[in-house]
Amino acid sequence: MSFTAFEAQAQDSDAQGNAPAATEAHSSHTIEDIIVTARRREESLQEVPVAITALSGQALEQKGVRAVEDLRQSVPGLNISGQRRDEASFYLRGQGPGIFNTGQRNFTSVATYFAEVPTDIAGPGMFFDLANVQVLKGPQGTLFGRNTTGGAVLFEPQRPTGVIEGHAKATIGNYDRREFEAVLNVPVIEDFLAVRLAANIAKRDGFTKNVVTGQDMDNRDYKAYRASVLLTPTDGFESLTIIDGLHKDQNGTSAILRQINSNMPIAAALAPYLERQKELGVRRTMIPTLLYDEQYNFGITNKTSWDVTDTITLKNIISVRKSRIDRGSDYDGTPIPTFLYENATLPRKWQTGQEQLTEEFQVQGRIPGLNTSYILGFYHELSKPGFPQELRQHLFGTITVRNLDARDESNAVFAHVETDLTDRLQVSGGFRYTWDKREASISVSDTQGNCTQRVPTGTGPITCPFSADAKFKAPSYDATVRYKLSDDAQIYAAYRHGYKSGGVNLPSPAPEFTRFEPEFVDEYEIGLKADWNVGFPLRTNLALFLDKYKDIQISQPVVIPNVAIQSLVRNAAEATNKGVEFETTLEPVDNLLINGFASYLDAHSDVTVPGTAAVKGRQTAFQPKWKYGFGIHYTVPTAESFGRLSVAADYSWQGRANTNELAANLITTYPGYSLVNARIELADVAQSGIDLSVFATNLTNKAYILGGFPLGGAIGFESALYGEPRMYGLSAKFRFGN
């Protein structure tokens, strides 16, 4: 087997710097290449010595990806779990969203970015008019805004181009699905001003019936838009402004009671409902009240770059984002108010929200005489709710009103350097130092507004609000050696040290429990990225990694003498995570493209922590050991006057995953499952610019668990959130322009 210089057919960026469109699968001897921004500049996916899975906008459409949970079917090592549908709760390499403190911002181990800016918005309404989605694996603290120890998911929107182009697409399907998407790109002033407008509107009935209220749950109803304006007044200077918005007004997420803990007092009350739920099945629930999930998001991002000289570029990224949420949640799925949150009560409109300002300045440069390139930068982020937050919680029939406030500030300086020692050998490294400051407060009262919060817990005076703050600082750094075996293949070895901020417990039972510390990870990775010629094009990307993960933040019951047992976030665990991630693409014959992936993850705690899921040697929760999948795309030879007929199918499988519960007499895993999707498309029908397609997802109608509320010793029940049933439909897309 030998390397050759067969071209991967990467499509060059256009004169405006637009990320390339996907290479058409029916072209002979081509493997799609994608331009990624893993090192904060545009590079070929195959050139970057980092484990990345990238899906082009065309690939996302072909695979039917419309929400974050759909990504798990195409990305090795990536898993999704959560308590509500549409949440971006990503898990990578044994790390996940971390501890969730209601009313405070969650510092996840796997951050999401839109147009290079951190954002929590990644559900339906995001997957339209995208250039690509990139999943970066491992710590990403030295070059990206938010410190992450597990990875990052980047959503890159299409940029305005220098031609008139666009499309209009309509989709209908079962559960009365109706979706419309439109894109219009106009070069208003040639080589000076271009505008791109995009919108996506979708409605779909729910697939879970509430037998108590009659409400259809798990429906879809949103409107999303983007307006991008690109200014290029002179050579070497450009300013891109992106305005995006989303309004979602849905019926909320269902909860299906799965099991109860017979050792808990609540068991007797829930037992009849568990039997009733088994009779109802997984597509009906018994939630006692109407729930709604309304969300509003708005953002403005500006990215300006200036080539000061041939070797120095200044880049600035500034963004403001705003979100508002009103969302009711029932966690047990029974008529008993065991644990639920009400929707906001009039005249209040919203429960929680976030207003975020980010500012990032970079100096990107080259030192030709030393074959060196570099990036120097500063990052600032400020986040706060922007209005008084209030949540009404039912816990075993008692209603409490929680007023919450928070303020998070992060500042960092960073540097990254790459040096080509020879034509084939490159060394690179980065360093970042971060200062985080977190402030939060909570007041708990009854429905009449009387404060019921005692601090210290149970013994102290009535205190509203209880406030706490903490400061953290730490370095992040990495080093990579890359060797090019040929123009089409490279091997690399990398070391990365990552950091994730600590936080505060509210209210704190005692001063020593108020603050919890940061997490740290040391990762070692070796990888291969290669394009081969074995008589046909073959791509193989392989990564092996070992992570030493320490000071892990977990919820741990703490005994307060003579008072109570309270669940608090503590740094109480260490873990070793190791695994393999593999991706391949080949075109064995003309018009047939095959891709596949597989991943293995061994992620377990190195210590046993009583009362928690951190049991020595046990696989980390929500992350199966094995995942694999493959897809085929065949273009049927037809006359050009007829159109391009293609058939595609995808299969994915993942093994069982642990939950956070330990008791051996209870179900402690989510079962493994497989999913099959299919699509038939006739593109450019009779050279009209019209594409017609029929599609189906979850073709075998598998009932699989996407997430839920795992059984906890303090609650006594477990509910599950099930993935979508079989979905099918057809779409028509009219393209014009380029």
Side-chain angles (χ1 to χ4, degrees), residues 429-470:
F431 181 84
R432 173 193 179 103
Y433 205 91
T434 303
W435 296 265
D436 288 320
K437 182 178 181 180
R438 309 196 67 180
E439 303 173 4
S441 68
I442 184 173
S443 296
V444 180
S445 61
D446 59 24
T447 54
Q448 284 73 46
N450 302 309
C451 179
T452 60
Q453 178 173 263
R454 291 186 178 273
V455 181
T457 303
T459 60
I462 294 290
T463 304
C464 285
F466 174 80
S467 301
D469 62 79

Side-chain angles (χ1 to χ4, degrees), residues 49-71:
V50 176
I52 308 171
T53 298
L55 298 172
S56 68
Q58 181 179 356
L60 293 169
E61 183 173 0
Q62 290 176 346
K63 293 177 179 293
V65 176
R66 305 304 292 174
V68 289
E69 56 264 28
D70 299 330
L71 289 174

Side-chain angles (χ1 to χ4, degrees), residues 174-176 203-209 215-220 251-252 283 725 727:
N174 61 333
Y175 294 95
D176 198 21
K203 289 189 176 184
R204 190 206 63 208
D205 291 346
F207 51 79
T208 306
K209 187 73 171 180
Q215 186 179 35
D216 283 333
M217 308 195 70
D218 303 315
N219 70 323
R220 189 166 288 173
N251 289 349
R283 301 302 181 194
M727 295 288 180

Side-chain angles (χ1 to χ4, degrees), residues 627-645:
K627 285 188 65 178
Y628 60 80
F630 63 88
I632 59 171
H633 186 281
Y634 180 66
T635 301
V636 181
T638 56
E640 186 175 346
S641 59
F642 176 74
R644 298 189 303 274
L645 178 63

